[in-house]
Amino acid sequence: MIHIINGNKTYNSYEVKKEALRDVDFHIGAGEFVAIMGTSGSGKSTLLHILGCMDRLSSGQYLFGETDISKLGVNEWHDFRREHISFVFQNFALINQYTVRENIMIPLKANHVAKTERVRRVNQVAKMLGIEDILNKLPPHISGGQQQRTAIARAIVGDNELLLCDEPTGALDKKTGIEVMEILREIHKGGKTIVVVTHDAEIAEYADRIVRIEDGVLFENPMQ
Amino acid sequence: MSVFSIAWDSICAHRHSFFVAVLMCTFAAFLSSVVIANAVSFSEKEKKYSDSVISDHEKTLLVKPLYPDTSSSFFDGWSRFLFEMNRVNECEQSGSFFRSVIYSEDENGIKPGTEKMVLLCIDEGICNLGKAFANGENSKLVSDGKSIPILAGHTYAKEYPVGSSFTCRGETYVVVGSLPKDAEWIPEEGISNNKDAYSVERCFVTFTDYLEAHPYYGLNGAYVILQDNANVENAKKLLKEHAKTCGIDISVQTIDSYLSGVIRAKQNSERDFLKELSVIFLVCIITVSAGNIATILLRKREIGILYSCGYSRRDILMSLIAEAGFKAVICIVLWYMVSLLSARRGWYDVWAIASDSKGIFLILLICLVVALFAVTTLYSGIYLVRKKPIEMLEDCG
C-alpha cells in the first residue's frame, strides 16, 4: 500500500543542514498496524508527516498505492490527504471553541457530506467510542481520555484508509493510554491501516510490526 | 454552502472575538465618517465664507477685533478669523464670547466712528442681550447709555437690504450689510447647532460702538481692512488718530493684501485639515485592518487543524472571506444605525449620512469598508494557507 523508496528529508535552518531522514526504504501493507519507535529527534514524527502528506521528501519517492505522492501538485496533495489519510495527534488537536460534535464533523464537512449523513456518522462513531454523552461539550470541559477519543472519532469518521497516530497516548495517563490503544486495535480489526509513532515500547506492542528509527535511519524489527 | 457553513461555525465558535472585532470596526468606521464629514463641512463653509467676505469687501470696510491670544502663527490672518468663528460655535453654550466685524462706508469714503452703521450681533453673549432687548429689558450695555444697538432678537431677524435705513431706540441706522436668514436667534434654543456657523460672523457695529465695547470683551485692538486703495493713506491716518485717542492698537491693511492673505491662509488651513484627516483616517484604517488580520492570524492553530482534517486552501480562504463578509455587513449596518441616530440627534455630522450628503458617499463608504475587509482578509488568509500544514500545526505537538 505504502512505499517510501530511498527517502531523504533535510531541513535547512540558519545555514545548518539537518538530515531528519536518511535513505529510508519503507513499506506498509494494507491493513497493517505499524509502530514507529524512536527517541526524541530521531525523525519519527518527520516520517509520519511525510506519510500523512503534511510534509514532503527532499529526495526519494513516496508511493501510496498506485499514486506517486512525490509528483502531486499542492492541491492534488491536499486532496489526496483528505481522501485517504487521517491523523490523531498527541495533544489531540481539537478546536477548543467547537463542541465535540463539531470537531468530529470537520472531515465530513471537508468532504461535503450531506448534513443528515454527517449527523448519522457522527452518532455512529460517538457510540462506538463511548462519547455520545459529551457530544455537546467543549473540549476543555472533558477529560484527556475523552479528548483523545474525540480525536480518534474525528480521524475515523471520514472512513479513510490510513490512520496516522503521533504519540496518541503521550498526553494521557497509563490506564487511559491503554484504553486508547485498545480502541485503535479495534479499529485496526475493522480493516484500517494504522501507523503509530511512539517512544513507549509498551504502546508499540499493540502493533503488528515495529519499526525503529535512529538519527533518521530506519531499522525493521519484526515482532514475534 | 460548505464555505458559508464553515464560516458560520467559526463565527459561532468565536462569537466573543467576532463581536469585539465588529464593535472595533464599527467604531473606526463611525470615527472616520465623522472626521470626513467635519473636513468636508469645514472646506465647504470656508469656501462659502471666503467668497462672501470677498464679495462684501467690494463695498465695505471690515474691522476685525484682535484678541489677546494671537500669538499662534496658525491663527494669524485668515486662520485666526476661522478660529474666532469656531469659538463662536463653541461659545454658543457658554455665552461668553463677543465677535464683531465692522463695516463702514459712505459717499465720502471711510469714516471711522460714523453712525451710519448697524450692529447685528448674534453670538450667544450678545444674543442674550438681544433677547433682553427684544423682551424690553435692559442689559448692562444697553442700560448704561452707551447703546450698542443689538438686533439679534427675533424681532429684527430678517434681511435688511444694503443701503436701507431704519430707526431703533430713536437712532437711525443705515444697513451696510445683511444678516443671513439662517442666523436667526431662537429664544428657546439660542443659535441652533444646525445653523451655518459662519453666518454668526455677520456682525455689524459702529466703529464707536466697537471702541466702547472692546474693553468690556477683553479685546486689545482692531484689525481694519480698507477696500478703497485710493483712500488708504487718508483712512489709515484717520484710524490711527482715532486709535490714539481711544488708546487701542489698530492694524490697517488694504483689501488686496488682506485677500491674498485670505487665500494663503485658506490654503494653509486646508493643508492642516488634510493632515489631521489623513492621520485620523489612517488610525481608523489601521484599527480595522489590525483587528481583522489579528483575528485571522491568531487562529493559525485552528486553521492548521482544519487543514490537516482535509479542508482545501480554497475552502479555508473562502470561509475566511465569507466570515469577513458577515463581519463587514454587520459592521456597516451597525455603523449606519449609529450614524443615523447621531446625525438625527445632531450629536455629530456624519459623512454620507447627514442630510446634505449624496447617496454616492454612502456607497463609497460601504465600498471602502468592504474593500478594507477584503484586502486584510485576503492578505492574512493567503499568508496562512500558503504555509505547509505542519507549520500551522506547530502548536499541536
Side-chain angles (χ1 to χ4, degrees), chain B residues 57 77-78 223-229 232 236 251-265:
Chain B
H57 277 77
W78 184 242
Y223 192 80
V224 182
I225 293 140
L226 309 173
Q227 62 93 35
D228 187 354
N229 289 332
V232 171
K236 277 186 178 177
S251 302
V252 185
Q253 71 177 114
T254 62
I255 185 67
D256 290 340
S257 66
Y258 177 71
L259 290 182
S260 64
V262 166
I263 291 162
R264 195 170 53 249

Side-chain angles (χ1 to χ4, degrees), chain B residues 155-181:
Chain B
T155 310
Y156 299 94
K158 64 175 184 178
E159 280 196 11
Y160 294 89
V162 175
S164 67
S165 61
F166 64 93
T167 304
C168 175
R169 294 176 65 84
E171 291 187 45
T172 300
Y173 296 91
V174 175
V175 177
V176 293
S178 63
L179 178 68
K181 280 179 182 173

